Amino acid sequence: MTSSDTRLSPGTALRYRWIVTDLDGTLVDRDLAMVPRSRAALQAFRSAGGQVVIATGRSAASGRRYYDELGLTGPAILLNGALIANLHTGDVLHESRFDETAWTAVRALVETLPPDVAAVAFVGERALATYQPAWVDTYAARDRVTVEHIENWHDIDGISKVMLLCADTDAAHRTAAVAHSVAEVTVVMSEATYVELLPAGVDKGVALRWLADHEQVALAEVAAVGDNPNDVPLLRASGFGVAVGDGHPEVLAAASAVAGTCLEGAVADVVAIALGPAPTAE
């Protein structure tokens, strides 16, 4: 699915009221810049009356730069669905946290991680770690996250997400296999070396369903686009789920359609579908 640049004509109607987009690898390229064609298309979609919702594994602090660049004022899905917040007003609409039993199990895992894996826990706007090797510093600089050092994991509670940052893909595969054995936890892969632990029943798709119900928008009126396995629930929950052309095979298999690559403007391809012709007067 490819298209030319999206332009509006008088009377443009919307096939979809919402476009929900992942950030990294979907709207944002590997240099962490928003793809210009996709940004322009989303601006056109908003001008036509549509609403754009970002759905990302990033925290509020990390995702805000893109939210602001798009000029958004509505809700955003953050922390892979563990947090839904309006970054314009600061209002938290919905938040999921590990309960005591789940956190005890997660803590037992992170306290026994091998040296090639480091854990970062998210509590509200804070990112916390007991161990910060070079690849955690790289992650923090890349995502503009300040990782605070803590002495031990018993000092914190109210955790919404734990990221297991792995030194390489081999470590990530081993870590994911172990993480799947932890009860009452959702495990997602957001990057080749990122294994994320969320409270049970939390993912981007569940968050989208909650938000659409809260805003009284039918899921059939929602188009979503993503590139990594953590986006699969999002695509399946939406009325029209689109995979980025150079996305993960799991996402390609789950999608209703496949767009161009991120750099080609995958999100703009989705906008071209969402902006349909105006209804014909009878």
Side-chain angles (χ1 to χ4, degrees):
M1 181 178 73
T2 59
S3 68
S4 60
D5 290 344
T6 301
R7 295 182 174 85
L8 295 182
S9 58
T12 298
L14 298 180
R15 289 193 178 116
Y16 296 95
R17 289 176 60 187
W18 282 9
I19 289 179
V20 184
T21 178
D22 171 53
L23 290 179
D24 297 282
T26 299
L27 178 61
V28 175
D29 65 25
R30 294 303 175 186
D31 293 326
L32 304 183
M34 201 176 296
V35 175
R37 178 173 175 254
S38 290
R39 180 180 57 230
L42 289 177
Q43 291 168 342
F45 180 72
R46 293 183 67 224
S47 295
Q51 182 167 336
V52 175
V53 178
I54 61 171
T56 178
R58 289 175 178 261
S59 65
S62 180
R64 186 174 282 111
R65 59 185 287 201
Y66 302 110
Y67 180 96
D68 290 343
E69 184 176 345
L70 289 170
L72 303 182
T73 58
I77 296 171
L78 305 159
L79 297 178
N80 271 316
L83 176 64
I84 303 174
N86 185 312
L87 300 184
H88 180 68
T89 64
D91 293 335
V92 173
L93 305 180
H94 187 70
E95 187 172 16
S96 299
R97 298 176 178 178
F98 290 111
D99 62 25
E100 184 176 352
T101 300
W103 173 234
T104 298
V106 171
R107 189 174 64 225
L109 171 64
V110 301
E111 289 178 335
T112 58
L113 290 172
D116 55 359
V117 184
V120 177
F122 290 83
V123 180
E125 290 273 350
R126 302 173 68 198
L128 310 171
T130 60
Y131 166 56
Q132 196 163 341
W135 60 90
V136 174
D137 292 334
T138 300
Y139 155 76
R142 175 186 181 274
D143 281 15
R144 299 186 182 181
V145 173
T146 299
V147 179
E148 302 175 39
H149 177 78
I150 57 173
E151 292 301 323
N152 66 74
W153 294 110
H154 291 267
D155 293 338
I156 59 171
D157 56 18
I159 303 95
S160 293
K161 183 179 87 163
V162 173
M163 284 191 69
L164 304 180
L165 300 169
C166 305
D168 53 43
T169 55
D170 287 342
H173 291 146
R174 294 196 314 268
T175 302
V178 174
H180 278 292
S181 68
V182 180
E184 302 302 319
V185 171
T186 299
V187 181
V188 297
M189 294 285 292
S190 56
E191 295 283 350
T193 57
Y194 295 175
V195 180
E196 305 200 13
L197 309 182
L198 301 164
V202 172
D203 59 40
K204 289 185 182 182
V206 171
L208 173 59
R209 291 186 181 96
W210 186 94
L211 182 58
D213 181 67
H214 182 266
E215 300 289 321
Q216 298 185 322
V217 173
L219 289 168
E221 298 179 292
V222 177
V225 55
D227 72 310
N228 261 320
N230 61 318
D231 296 315
V232 169
L234 177 69
L235 270 57
R236 288 177 172 163
S238 68
F240 182 53
V242 181
V244 177
D246 52 352
H248 192 281
E250 289 182 24
V251 184
L252 299 176
S256 301
V258 177
T261 66
C262 172
L263 285 175
E264 289 171 340
V267 177
D269 289 346
V270 179
V271 173
I273 298 298
L275 291 172
T280 303
E282 303 225 353

